[in-house]
Amino acid sequence: MFTSWMEEKFVPVAAKIGSQKHLVAIRDAFISIMPITMAGSIAVLLNAIVRDLPAKFELNGITEAFQWLIGINGNVWWGTLATLSMVFAFAIGYQLSKAYDTNPLAGGLISFASFIIATPQSTVVALEDGTTIGAWGNLAVGYLDAKGLFTALIVGFIATIIYAKMMKKNITIKLPEQVPPAVSKAFAAIIPGVTAMYAIGLITWALDKFAGTSLYALILEYVQMPFLSMSQGLGSVIIITACVSIFWFFGLHGSNVLAPVLDGIYKTALAENTNIYNATQSISELKYIWTRGSFDAYAWMGGAGCTIALIIAIFIFSKREETRAVAKLSAPMGLFNINEPVVFGLPIVLNPVYLIPWVLVPTVLVIIAYAATSIGLVPPVFLEVPWVMPPVLYAWFATGFSFSAALLALFNLAVGIAIWSVFVIIANRVEIKE
């Protein structure tokens, strides 16, 4: 009865949300900047190996020998994570323009320029004598890193929507057909682009003139920081984890449906932690307990639902040949966190026998991991790792080679196997009806 009601009422709504073009554009924008975030994380990770670890054991010779690599990594970090909001501003404009079937390159550039328009340009510089002076025309790194992601998202969203709507209404400069297409596209974007950028410029000027603040500061204080604060509560982590499982149970890609939350909030926290570690070389200074990689490191091992634990439990306890055959085929991909073969092959989708563990296992695992992280048994996840990194290794890399984190992931895997095993044994007794 419950399953039928969910199929009839819940699934269509969830499917619409998952395919809503604005949310899809946000999801794809975060996905598209992955090469940038990955390069920055690799740079920080390499510096942790050749600079931070040797320093703990007073092996200064190693650090001196790799000064050239440390310098290169610093340059890579500067062009990736230090300017992440600028990159994302272009990405959101590009993806939104694609969603509206307008020129994506122009949309990306307009979004990028609008973000720069909204970013404070004046800074206070401290002099050696203790006095300070105001300087104009500066873009401080503190405005361009992960702290500016929500500003890039909101400003880029507004500017691109203005541009796209005007383009769709043909409020453009039209050139003769003989003009090359590249020139025509550029001219067509002038009126919508200028309108969008002036709209952001007007809002920025008015806030500075009449409120003494900036659009950037308002979004950071009243949107980004509250969302990040709420995301760090155990309740929020449990709700997100359970919702991803529920979406998957009904055949919807839970991580994709909730990507605007997972990436928009928890990935922002991850990037912030990475930058804090790069600046301080201290795990104790990390700001956020739970980040995007925490789910993958400790709960979604093998994919959502901790399916690698399910596969192992099947190998140990399942007496069904068809179930063991699916597990054998799914195991190689499960090691790299690809779980579609087991989710749809077993199946887990709409299978009432596996509904309870499918939601219960990752929920229990995030509670264990959250508790261990919050009391300091393991460091918070602060490095982005390729999602195909095998379980346990993922936690080890994502925490800067923390053995305690790897042990926690291994412990969680054992807990997952134990819970899944109970339901695999129950499944042995369930009669299959064609």
Side-chain angles (χ1 to χ4, degrees):
M1 185 68 181
F2 173 74
T3 302
S4 299
W5 182 87
M6 290 290 281
E7 282 187 83
E8 182 183 349
K9 304 294 184 182
F10 174 77
V11 173
V13 174
K16 286 182 180 179
I17 293 173
S19 59
Q20 209 281 330
K21 65 181 180 181
H22 300 97
L23 296 179
V24 170
I26 294 172
R27 180 199 70 195
D28 291 347
F30 276 106
I31 292 172
S32 65
I33 66 171
M34 187 176 293
I36 307 300
T37 56
M38 196 63 64
S41 295
I42 289 171
V44 175
L45 181 62
L46 288 175
N47 272 358
I49 296 172
V50 300
R51 181 190 61 194
D52 306 334
L53 284 179
K56 293 180 180 179
F57 300 99
E58 298 184 356
L59 300 173
N60 297 327
I62 295 176
T63 302
E64 292 174 6
F66 283 98
Q67 281 299 318
W68 59 275
L69 180 58
I70 293 171
I72 294 172
N73 290 333
N75 292 335
V76 172
W77 171 83
W78 173 253
T80 54
L81 294 181
T83 56
L84 188 62
S85 296
M86 297 172 67
V87 176
F88 182 75
F90 178 86
I92 188 64
Y94 187 95
Q95 296 296 342
L96 265 177
S97 299
K98 278 180 61 179
Y100 277 91
D101 198 26
T102 55
N103 184 354
L105 179 59
L109 292 172
I110 291 164
S111 175
F112 173 83
S114 298
F115 171 69
I116 299 299
I117 290 169
T119 302
Q121 303 168 40
S122 58
T123 56
V124 177
V125 179
L127 302 178
E128 292 182 359
D129 61 2
T131 60
T132 59
I133 60 171
W136 186 87
N138 298 281
L139 288 175
V141 65
Y143 292 128
L144 306 179
D145 60 12
K147 287 191 291 295
L149 279 174
F150 270 62
T151 303
L153 172 61
I154 294 171
V155 170
F157 200 93
I158 294 171
T160 307
I161 293 295
I162 293 172
Y163 155 75
K165 293 287 188 181
M166 293 183 70
M167 288 290 291
K168 299 302 284 186
K169 291 182 178 180
N170 290 318
I171 306 175
T172 62
I173 298 174
K174 297 177 177 62
L175 298 180
E177 293 182 2
Q178 294 82 1
V179 176
V183 177
S184 294
K185 286 183 179 180
F187 270 84
I190 288 176
I191 294 177
V194 169
T195 303
M197 288 183 281
Y198 262 84
I200 299 301
L202 175 61
I203 295 171
T204 302
W205 174 84
L207 287 171
D208 180 60
K209 182 74 173 177
F210 301 109
T213 186
S214 68
L215 180 59
Y216 186 107
L218 288 177
I219 293 172
L220 180 63
E221 182 176 356
Y222 294 107
V223 181
Q224 180 162 326
M225 297 313 297
F227 270 115
L228 283 171
S229 296
M230 287 189 294
S231 75
Q232 295 304 295
L234 177 58
S236 299
V237 175
I238 290 173
I239 290 170
I240 292 294
T241 306
C243 286
V244 167
S245 294
I246 291 170
F247 280 123
W248 267 112
F249 180 77
F250 288 98
L252 302 171
H253 197 298
S255 301
N256 281 353
V257 173
L258 294 177
V261 177
L262 286 168
D263 293 338
I265 298 175
Y266 288 101
K267 199 165 189 175
T268 300
L270 176 61
E272 274 282 274
N273 272 3
T274 306
N275 286 331
I276 291 170
Y277 181 82
N278 186 67
T280 64
Q281 288 90 56
S282 173
I283 290 172
S284 62
E285 298 292 327
L286 298 180
K287 187 174 182 180
Y288 297 105
I289 293 173
W290 200 263
T291 68
R292 178 62 183 87
S294 303
F295 292 100
D296 298 313
Y298 302 120
W300 296 337
M301 292 177 282
C306 194
T307 45
I308 193 66
L310 169 59
I311 291 171
I312 295 170
I314 289 171
F315 285 144
I316 299 172
F317 295 105
S318 180
K319 297 178 181 179
R320 293 186 179 277
E321 289 301 320
E322 70 279 1
T323 301
R324 294 179 67 86
V326 171
K328 288 176 183 177
L329 292 172
S330 304
M333 287 169 279
L335 286 173
F336 299 98
N337 304 312
I338 302 169
N339 70 346
E340 281 81 357
V342 70
V343 170
F344 295 103
L346 202 56
I348 291 172
V349 172
L350 297 177
N351 186 338
V353 175
Y354 288 130
L355 172 60
I356 294 175
W358 182 246
V359 177
L360 178 64
V361 170
T363 302
V364 170
L365 300 188
V366 296
I367 291 172
I368 294 171
Y370 185 95
T373 307
S374 61
I375 64 177
L377 289 179
V378 298
V381 170
F382 66 91
L383 291 172
E384 181 158 357
V385 176
W387 65 272
V388 292
M389 181 70 69
V392 181
L393 284 178
Y394 190 109
W396 190 53
F397 278 99
T399 53
F401 305 112
S402 168
F403 285 104
S404 60
L407 288 173
L408 175 60
L410 196 61
F411 175 78
N412 269 12
L413 181 59
V415 172
I417 293 169
I419 299 174
W420 271 116
S421 296
V422 174
F423 292 89
V424 169
I425 293 170
I426 293 172
N428 289 333
R429 302 169 187 167
V430 176
E431 199 175 314
I432 296 178
K433 294 182 180 180
E434 293 294 339

